[in-house]
Amino acid sequence: MKNLSHDDPVALLLDMPMSLLWAVQQARAVFQQCDLSSNYIVIHYLGAQKELHQLPVFQSLLDTMPGSVHIHFFGPDMPDELDGLSRRVSVQQGNSASWLCADTTALVAEAGSSSAAAATHVLVQQQVAFLGSMQSEACSAAASTSHCHVVPHTAGGVQQEAPMLGGAAAQADMARETYQVPTLQLTFHKGLYHDVIARPNCEIASADLVFGANAGLAAYPSWVPTLQLLSHEGSPPAVFTDYCEEAAVQGMRVMQAVVEGPMLWMPVGINPFRKPLSCQSRDNNLPSFSNAFMFGMAPQAVL
């Protein structure tokens, strides 16, 4: 995927998974966290909405990462029938007859055309098959190997309890050993991230990275408690994207205003895997693309 051109119609389909991959790489470079050499990476994907209509393209991560990937999707717009469900596919299962393609570029090849419309047609067919199979499956594999961890943190000088989201925890070892071949697992949670994590008896695997695509941090006040949660010591890096540079800059300011404790920052930068199709809005004349700009934060370790 390194040589994927913006002129390639497949680039229209891959901005979500490739932006996620770029976020992992940036988190490693900027924060020295989210180790790409690990054979098992857990990602908490916030605000999932459009992604739910193009789930098959996420298998492209198996072509670009060395091991298994478990993505937990969170969002208040999650369909009720997906809430709590999980599905996994391995490289051995990944072929053109399965719910995901072994090579995402085969979306175009299978359609017998190089057009984005034909690729999208195949993607929709796979999506229908995927959702149909998921409706009959309960979430069992993820719950059997995942945990909800609690660590102390301080707020206003008072020790409190908050979920630990650090993916380097030893409790993930069991899950890491579960996958004998590279595997993609998708798990779905309906609700805002901070609300889902705070639920009693939470059973969600700790994350190596938290990611929010086209987040709009400055536009939605509901992000504030999530950002405060992610600023607690022991939380993983959090990386976000937005449509235009101004939205990303404003989102960065919101983060800096509401988070608690010493932080490391990923400055606003252009995302090379942005969708190569303008989505300019009516409220401004700025160049706008899906996942156009990326920025992030991570709690600074207290020595």
Side-chain angles (χ1 to χ4, degrees):
M1 299 300 174
K2 293 185 297 183
N3 298 321
L4 185 63
S5 169
H6 280 185
D7 296 329
D8 192 323
V10 175
L12 294 172
L13 301 175
L14 294 185
D15 73 298
M16 292 296 182
M18 292 298 99
S19 294
L20 179 55
L21 175 65
W22 185 246
V24 173
Q25 294 174 332
Q26 291 298 99
R28 183 186 186 189
V30 176
F31 305 125
Q32 286 76 54
Q33 298 184 45
C34 204
D35 187 4
L36 274 173
S37 64
S38 172
N39 65 349
Y40 179 75
I41 292 179
V42 178
I43 296 168
H44 290 179
Y45 198 116
L46 312 190
Q49 187 178 37
K50 295 179 180 179
E51 296 83 352
L52 303 178
H53 300 288
Q54 46 187 310
L55 293 172
V57 300
F58 281 90
Q59 195 188 355
S60 60
L61 294 172
L62 293 180
D63 299 325
T64 52
M65 299 181 74
S68 297
V69 183
H70 189 168
I71 304 176
H72 290 265
F73 288 100
F74 299 81
D77 298 321
M78 188 79 61
D80 292 336
E81 60 269 22
L82 290 184
D83 187 23
L85 295 185
S86 186
R87 181 68 186 272
R88 69 174 63 173
V89 62
S90 68
V91 169
Q92 292 178 342
Q93 297 169 331
N95 54 59
S96 58
S98 68
W99 66 279
L100 293 177
C101 286
D103 183 355
T104 310
T105 58
L107 287 169
V108 174
E110 287 184 27
S113 170
S114 59
S115 69
T120 303
H121 175 71
V122 175
L123 177 63
V124 169
Q125 288 181 322
Q126 293 180 338
Q127 176 73 2
V128 170
F130 166 67
L131 292 177
S133 64
M134 283 202 64
Q135 289 176 353
S136 62
E137 297 185 11
C139 176
S140 58
S144 65
T145 58
S146 60
H147 309 271
C148 184
H149 314 295
V150 176
V151 295
H153 72 282
T154 57
V158 179
Q159 191 176 68
Q160 300 178 347
E161 296 289 313
M164 187 185 86
L165 306 176
Q171 292 91 336
D173 289 344
M174 183 184 302
R176 298 176 195 278
E177 296 173 358
T178 301
Y179 303 97
Q180 301 301 319
V181 296
T183 300
L184 173 67
Q185 181 161 344
L186 308 179
T187 304
F188 304 88
H189 311 277
K190 183 179 179 66
L192 296 172
Y193 185 63
H194 55 272
D195 291 334
V196 176
I197 292 295
R199 289 173 184 169
N201 303 318
C202 170
E203 293 186 338
I204 298 176
S206 56
D208 296 287
L209 176 74
V210 173
F211 180 70
N214 300 317
L217 299 186
Y220 301 99
S222 57
W223 278 111
V224 172
T226 289
L227 294 174
Q228 292 173 336
L229 172 66
L230 294 172
S231 69
H232 294 155
E233 183 181 355
S235 296
V239 178
F240 302 94
T241 66
D242 222 316
Y243 289 101
C244 66
E245 186 175 17
E246 178 63 17
V249 169
Q250 294 298 328
M252 190 77 170
R253 290 175 179 171
V254 169
M255 287 198 307
Q256 294 171 337
V258 305
V259 299
E260 306 167 357
M263 304 295 294
L264 299 173
W265 303 101
M266 177 192 296
V268 173
I270 194 165
N271 173 20
F273 293 104
R274 62 196 179 279
K275 185 185 289 289
L277 182 65
S278 176
C279 56
Q280 193 169 12
S281 62
R282 297 179 180 178
D283 59 353
N284 65 75
N285 290 321
L286 297 174
S288 299
F289 302 86
S290 177
N291 294 308
F293 290 86
M294 186 171 289
F295 56 101
M297 67 178 190
Q300 184 173 353
V302 178
L303 302 179

